[in-house]
């Protein structure tokens, strides 16, 4: 749902399919209309090598273009684009298969490239809006690479996803399942590791992800399940369920991403207020975390000991002390003994022999984001975050 670098790049790709025209008579018209469409979104020097096929099946080769967005330069290059089974009944925005080979999209200092992308039952949603979306039954991407200033940040050797029943106004599926294998490079790890405590920071981290996201039919609730396996940072399983999503919240969220708002500060301010007000009502229903093979935490303690000149045991006590301070400040006085003390015991035990850690929360019905987190414009609350979360934890 967030406008990340990946979504920016994918957005550069998905706009290509609708450009294949409103009821063209063949490849020649498809080529001219494709160029015209790219020019309409400011790729003024757009070029297409050639287009073959017929109205229902097209092969586009050698597509490229450049545009300037503010101070940022965008460059798009696609070796080959194959679209099969175009459905004229959907205004050429739905196809049986979309295949993209050798694609690269650069925006400023960032660049994303992939060897191939294949979409089954691929479609463009809300094509006439300023922010068209996409839908698919299956989407597979191979060798996706994200670089910044020429340095590799993340590479994904494979990304496979399945989805069903898309909410057209928001490009959100009722159910999305995904798996991927990736490598996170030191340049990206350094951005995450602000204090330089990650053991062996010059080694990449291999990651395998298997997860799913689901939304209710009314977009009123959501569930998340994700398992992340790494070669040296342990195995992590995260899950949770939320309630309180609605159309007004999503309309405000996606509306704020609309580039057309750039010259409409009044509407942008209104959407920001709507979003702030609605997201306060989102309720956390359940949350859980399970971690195993977390021995890297011992390496973190050793790195901190080197930086601070303390003993490893001293670092452990200091971290546990900070944890106790945070837990105490986020719980009412009468909750310290039943909630804070048991959690502190688990934290100290885990830091001593970091291997397995489990945390579970089943909040009471008052646990909305407006109460659990400081949200701009939210009324003050006398309650504390741990009072409502009902957290349980254990470590081995």
């Amino acid at each position: 749902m967030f406008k990340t670098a990946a979504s920016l790049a994918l957005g550069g790709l998905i706009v290509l399919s609708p450009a294949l025209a409103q009821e063209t008579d063949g490849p020649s018209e498809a080529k001219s209309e494709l160029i015209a469409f790219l020019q309409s979104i400011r790729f003024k020097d757009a070029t297409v090598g050639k287009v073959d096929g017929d109205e229902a099946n097209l092969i586009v080769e050698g597509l490229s273009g450049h545009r300037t967005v503010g101070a940022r330069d965008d460059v798009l290059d696609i070796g080959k684009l194959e679209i099969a089974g175009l459905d004229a009944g959907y205004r050429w925005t739905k196809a049986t298969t979309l295949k993209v080979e050798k694609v690269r999209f650069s925006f400023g200092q960032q660049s994303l490239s992939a060897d191939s992308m294949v979409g089954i039952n691929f479609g463009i949603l809300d094509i006439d809006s300023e922010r068209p979306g996409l839908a698919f039954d299956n989407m597979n991407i191979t060798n996706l690479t994200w670089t910044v200033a020429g340095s590799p940040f993340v590479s994904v050797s494979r990304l496979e996803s399945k989805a069903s029943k898309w909410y057209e106004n928001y490009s959100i599926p009722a159910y999305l399942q995904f798996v991927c294998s990736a490598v996170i490079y030191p340049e990206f790890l350094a951005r995450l590791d602000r204090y330089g405590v990650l053991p062996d920071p010059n080694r990449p981290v291999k990651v395998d992800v298997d997860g799913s996201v689901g939304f209710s039919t009314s977009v009123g609730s959501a569930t998340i399940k994700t398992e992340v396996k790494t070669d040296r940072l342990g195995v992590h399983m995260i899950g949770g369920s939320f309630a309180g999503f609605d159309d007004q919240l999503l309309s405000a969220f996606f509306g704020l991403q609309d580039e057309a708002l750039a010259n409409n500060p009044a509407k942008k301010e209104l959407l920001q207020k709507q979003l702030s007000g609605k997201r306060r009502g989102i309720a956390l229903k359940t949350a859980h975390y399970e971690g195993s093979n977390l021995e890297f935490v011992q390496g973190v303690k050793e790195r901190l000991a080197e930086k601070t000149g303390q003993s490893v045991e001293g670092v452990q006590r200091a971290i546990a002390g900070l944890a106790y301070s945070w837990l105490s400040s986020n719980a009412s006085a009468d909750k310290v003994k039943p909630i804070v003390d048991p959690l502190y015991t688990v934290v100290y035990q885990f830091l001593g022999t970091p291997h397995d850690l489990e945390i579970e929360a089943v909040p009471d019905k008052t646990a909305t984001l407006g109460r659990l987190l400081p949200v701009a414009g939210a009324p003050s609350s006398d309650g504390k975050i741990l009072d409502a979360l009902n957290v349980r934890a254990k470590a081995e």
Side-chain angles (χ1 to χ4, degrees):
M1 292 172 63
F2 297 97
K3 194 172 184 180
T4 61
S7 65
L8 282 169
L10 188 55
L13 297 178
I14 64 173
V15 296
L16 299 179
S17 296
L20 293 175
Q22 311 298 314
E23 302 183 9
T24 65
D25 291 329
S28 60
E29 289 189 41
K31 179 177 180 179
S32 62
E33 292 185 7
L34 174 55
I35 292 175
F37 178 81
L38 289 173
Q39 290 176 342
S40 74
I41 56 173
R42 294 185 285 180
F43 286 96
K44 300 301 182 182
D45 58 351
T47 60
V48 175
K50 66 176 182 177
V51 179
D52 293 321
D54 52 40
E55 290 185 355
N57 304 282
L58 291 165
I59 300 175
V60 182
E61 296 185 58
L63 185 150
S64 64
H66 166 270
R67 70 180 180 184
T68 300
V69 180
R72 188 189 77 210
D73 286 330
D74 294 351
V75 178
L76 175 67
D77 286 295
I78 294 180
K80 180 185 285 188
L81 176 68
E82 296 184 47
I83 303 176
L86 280 168
D87 190 337
Y90 284 85
R91 299 178 56 216
W92 302 103
T93 61
K94 183 178 180 181
T96 303
T97 306
L98 169 71
K99 296 177 65 176
V100 185
E101 297 180 6
K102 298 298 180 182
V103 58
R104 179 174 177 268
F105 182 64
S106 298
F107 42 104
Q109 290 191 318
Q110 303 188 57
S111 176
L112 286 114
S113 61
D115 283 353
S116 68
M117 181 180 80
V118 179
I120 305 300
N121 288 332
F122 187 90
I124 307 298
L125 306 176
D126 203 16
I127 184 60
D128 293 323
S129 74
E130 292 286 340
R131 193 193 58 83
L134 68 125
F136 56 82
D137 289 348
N138 299 81
M139 177 71 76
N140 298 333
I141 300 175
T142 58
N143 295 331
L144 173 67
T145 301
W146 176 22
T147 63
V148 177
S151 298
F153 258 38
V154 179
S155 66
V156 178
S157 57
R158 69 171 184 131
L159 172 60
E160 301 175 4
S161 55
K162 299 179 181 180
S164 62
K165 192 179 179 181
W166 291 77
Y167 301 104
E168 293 201 7
N169 290 337
Y170 311 113
S171 298
I172 295 175
Y175 183 72
L176 174 67
Q177 184 178 14
F178 53 89
V179 294
C180 81
S181 298
V183 176
I184 302 176
Y185 291 92
E187 289 80 1
F188 185 70
L189 291 172
R191 301 286 184 97
L192 302 176
D193 186 19
R194 294 170 54 193
Y195 301 103
V197 298
L198 187 67
D200 204 357
N202 295 319
R203 281 180 55 199
V205 175
K206 296 180 181 179
V207 181
D208 290 307
V209 180
D210 188 342
S212 65
V213 179
F215 289 91
S216 71
T217 302
S218 62
V219 200
S221 62
T223 59
I224 301 171
K225 297 178 182 179
T226 302
E227 180 181 41
V228 180
K229 296 180 179 180
T230 74
D231 61 341
R232 61 188 184 91
L233 296 180
V235 177
H236 310 269
M237 289 184 286
I238 303 168
S241 60
F242 302 83
F245 289 90
D246 60 21
D247 290 346
Q248 290 179 320
L249 180 144
L250 293 172
S251 295
F253 178 84
F254 286 103
L256 285 169
Q257 300 182 53
D258 197 332
E259 292 183 5
L261 286 179
N263 298 318
N264 194 340
K267 184 176 181 181
K268 185 174 183 178
E269 182 180 2
L270 176 61
L271 289 173
Q272 287 173 332
K273 288 181 179 179
Q274 289 177 351
L275 178 61
S276 178
K278 290 295 179 181
R279 70 182 178 183
R280 292 199 302 267
I282 296 175
L284 174 65
K285 296 173 65 179
T286 63
H288 73 268
Y289 166 81
E290 296 179 30
S292 60
N293 302 322
L294 304 178
E295 290 82 0
F296 77 94
V297 175
Q298 182 66 29
V300 171
K301 290 195 301 181
E302 293 171 357
R303 292 270 293 178
L304 281 171
E306 293 174 4
K307 286 178 170 289
T308 62
Q310 300 183 65
S311 65
V312 174
E313 293 76 12
V315 168
Q316 178 180 331
R317 288 193 296 270
I319 296 174
L322 289 172
Y324 187 82
S325 176
W326 186 90
L327 292 169
S328 299
S329 64
N330 285 280
S332 301
D334 62 336
K335 300 290 186 179
V336 171
K337 185 175 181 61
I339 295 180
V340 174
D341 288 353
L343 290 177
Y344 169 75
T345 300
V346 170
V347 170
Y348 194 83
Q349 178 183 349
F350 171 71
L351 289 172
T353 55
H355 184 70
D356 295 335
L357 178 64
E358 296 182 19
I359 303 173
E360 182 181 17
V362 184
D364 60 38
K365 293 182 180 180
T366 64
T368 61
L369 293 190
R371 180 182 178 189
L372 298 178
L373 302 172
V375 180
S380 60
S381 173
D382 295 331
K384 302 283 189 175
I385 183 172
L386 291 179
D387 294 355
L389 281 180
N390 299 317
V391 179
R392 301 289 183 269
K394 67 177 183 179
E396 295 180 2

